Amino acid sequence: MGDIKLVNIGFGNIVAGHRIVAIVSPESAPIKRIIAEARDRGALIDATYGRRTRAVVITDSDHVVLSAVQPETVAHRLTSKDSVSTDDEDVDEEGEA
């Protein structure tokens, strides 16, 4: 399989890029249902550090990862060459770290 691409999803948390099925916004009712079902079956990983959930990462193992980083930012990190580099995009628009 070669190199495993690791994607920074905020606050130093990393997800294996090849396991990601979808990166979605948490606002819709179906996504909220997916989050609740993952919580019930013990497959929810909350990587928000108490911040507002901005992206929901769904993996091929049916784990659901909550991130405080925008979905577009996670997707950009997935497609960029250096995904594990830490940058200042972990701070949201309101200036919260």
Side-chain angles (χ1 to χ4, degrees):
M1 178 167 222
D3 292 333
I4 295 175
K5 183 159 188 133
L6 299 174
V7 181
N8 182 339
I9 60 162
F11 304 108
N13 297 297
I14 311 292
V15 173
H18 69 281
R19 305 294 302 262
I20 295 174
V21 174
I23 304 165
V24 295
S25 175
E27 270 81 49
S28 75
I31 300 303
K32 288 180 181 178
R33 198 172 313 117
I34 287 172
I35 293 168
E37 289 169 359
R39 181 177 287 118
D40 291 345
R41 69 175 196 275
L44 182 70
I45 301 167
D46 187 348
T48 62
Y49 282 65
R51 307 302 198 291
R52 190 174 80 144
T53 299
R54 294 177 179 256
V56 179
V57 179
I58 301 171
T59 67
D60 60 357
S61 62
D62 278 337
H63 282 84
V64 176
V65 184
L66 305 181
S67 172
V69 178
Q70 293 285 357
E72 297 82 10
T73 304
V74 177
H76 175 68
R77 292 176 184 178
L78 178 61
T79 58
S80 72
K81 292 200 183 297
D82 189 22
S83 296
V84 179
S85 67
T86 55
D87 45 9
D88 293 333
E89 290 190 55
D90 288 348
V91 179
D92 63 23
E93 297 87 47
E94 290 87 40
E96 297 175 25

